[in-house]
Amino acid sequence: MIKLLSKIVMLSVFASFSIVKSQSVKEVLKQNGTFRKDMTFAIKSDSKETYLPVTIIKGKEKGPVFSIVAGIHGYEYPPIIAVQELLKEIKPENIKGSLVIIPIANVESFQKRTPFINPLDGKNLNNIFPGLQNGSPTEQIAYLITKEIISNSDIFLDIHGGDANEDLLPFVCFYNREDNLEKTKLALKLSEASGMKNIVSYPYHLKPSDVSKYAFKEATQKGITALSIEAGKLGTVQNESVHLIKSSVYRMLKFSGNYTGKIPKTNVAEIQTFFNDQNYVRVPENGIFYSTLKSGDSVKTNQILGYITDEFGNKKQDIVSEVNGTILYKIGTPPVNKGETLFCIGYTK
Ligand SMILES: [Zn+2]
């Protein structure tokens, strides 16, 4: 019975892969009618195999293509669960234009419970954009997202959260691309429309030939309106983070004109806070990290943020803030390794 069942599962997996080879996202988006289509892109690199799941929801009337990605980091659960709920709730009848949704971009990282990296090749998907067509599994996922999703999007939203070791303040963010003000302004408007309390803009200095590394930076570089939501922390599913992500996405979809249904009334911040620059505090040496500070706490220049000890309990050094600002995220568990981002402190210039 188990053998038979596994054969059926294998057949259904291969069957869905074979559909994909004949159709691209672009071709599906061109099809007439109001529909939802679930598809998978097969990925093979030497003996390693995985896949990229994609759902396309096309509405009756014309409108923008709004893409939503979860699970680029498979241990960041609130974005993945929020997108699962959106997939259940959103009907094609309530959509104008199209939604292109990746429910879990890094399936292996999710299934194998691996923070940050894909266990198939040890690579961080959010560090290798635009990817490589014939590269390792993770490089191929990045390539497919670039080619199939980003290039067909009017608006690209990549949803993350604090990974297994990250304590994070929820925020919505975009790159302040000053040479593409129209798209940058739309990203700001969408951020405001999300209702999230904290809005972060990152400086943007990429040349066209530079490597983008990050998914929504790749979209920004390609001239597409791109944003990211960050919500959830420390490798757990917090219901409030799931609800926050969902309501923020619904509000963005309403603002972009993609969604005609009802949107949740909760989770709208009365006052929004803007952070237009960030200070990254790097881990100076390997060790055990102690801090009483949490994400969202305010810090001052020269304030001691915490300290690092060795395995014998000897204090190695204090960690000191170089700026006044708010902790957007920090390492929230004891082990720290040289070069990692220990704190990201947001502030306004
Ligand atoms: Zn992430």
Side-chain angles (χ1 to χ4, degrees), residues 72-73 76 126 160-161 163 166 230:
I72 276 192
H73 293 132
E76 296 169 4
N126 214 25
H160 288 254
D163 217 298
E166 289 174 327
E230 294 271 1

Side-chain angles (χ1 to χ4, degrees), residues 78 170 231-233 237-247 267:
K233 58 186 174 183
V237 180
Q238 304 96 14
N239 283 335
E240 68 270 26
S241 299
V242 173
H243 291 144
L244 176 63
I245 291 167
K246 269 176 63 183
S247 74
N267 287 318

Side-chain angles (χ1 to χ4, degrees), residues 63 79 82 104 124 140 174 189 192 204-205 227 241 267 275 301 306:
I104 308 176
N124 182 339
Q140 289 192 37
F174 60 94
K189 291 277 178 207
E192 290 172 337
Y204 181 87
H205 304 297
L227 306 104
S241 299
N267 287 318
F275 301 98
T301 306

Side-chain angles (χ1 to χ4, degrees), residues 224-237:
I224 289 155
T225 300
L227 306 104
S228 186
I229 287 174
E230 294 271 1
K233 58 186 174 183
L234 295 165
T236 55
V237 180

Side-chain angles (χ1 to χ4, degrees), residues 125-141:
L125 176 55
N126 214 25
N127 206 29
I128 55 164
F129 275 83
L132 264 178
Q133 184 171 12
N134 296 311
S136 72
T138 312
E139 288 167 337
Q140 289 192 37
I141 297 171

Side-chain angles (χ1 to χ4, degrees), residues 267-285:
N267 287 318
V268 179
E270 285 179 14
I271 299 169
Q272 290 178 308
T273 309
F274 290 83
F275 301 98
N276 66 5
D277 212 347
Q278 301 79 35
N279 176 262
Y280 295 90
V281 180
R282 305 287 174 192
V283 176
E285 60 184 313

